[in-house]
Amino acid sequence: MLVLSRQRDERIVIGDDVEVVVVDIRGDKVRLGIVAPNTVSVHRKEIYEAIRRENQDASGLQGDVTRFNGVTPGSEAIRRLAQRQQGHGDSRREIA
């Protein structure tokens, strides 16, 4: 794991298309903004796990599943949860 220190308004670039910016720091909470194309799925960990469980349940899989099984960019579960969280976006979006 790469660990980086950043201050408010500083950014981290991931690949060519993703930027993470420190929006705010309040006590023990850090707000991050993420700029990414619509083709990149961005979710909070608990939402990602819910999507994975929903896809696993829908596919009827049993037993040990690797961490990415059942989650695909075109997944209906991803689309529904993303719409609930973000609404409709442009080809690039900012997620706070």
Side-chain angles (χ1 to χ4, degrees):
M1 172 189 306
L2 175 64
V3 178
L4 301 171
S5 296
R6 300 277 71 199
Q7 295 180 15
R8 182 177 295 142
D9 296 325
E10 291 184 331
R11 295 175 180 260
I12 297 168
V13 177
I14 302 171
D16 293 331
D17 296 332
V18 178
E19 287 186 20
V20 179
V21 61
V22 178
V23 175
D24 195 18
I25 303 168
R26 292 183 191 170
D28 63 347
K29 238 182 200 183
V30 177
R31 292 188 66 197
L32 300 174
I34 301 168
V35 180
N38 283 338
T39 56
V40 175
S41 295
V42 178
H43 301 287
R44 296 185 322 248
K45 178 72 172 185
E46 62 273 16
I47 297 296
Y48 172 81
E49 290 297 328
I51 292 167
R52 189 178 67 91
R53 280 191 307 274
E54 183 177 323
N55 284 335
Q56 183 178 351
D57 292 346
S59 67
L61 293 176
Q62 300 294 323
D64 188 30
V65 178
T66 61
R67 78 177 199 182
F68 293 112
N69 265 0
V71 178
T72 60
S75 168
E76 180 66 15
I78 291 174
R79 186 188 66 72
R80 285 194 316 268
L81 286 170
Q83 283 180 340
R84 283 185 221 150
Q85 283 183 353
Q86 304 162 7
H88 302 286
D90 297 325
S91 62
R92 290 183 66 85
R93 70 206 188 278
E94 290 197 28
I95 302 170

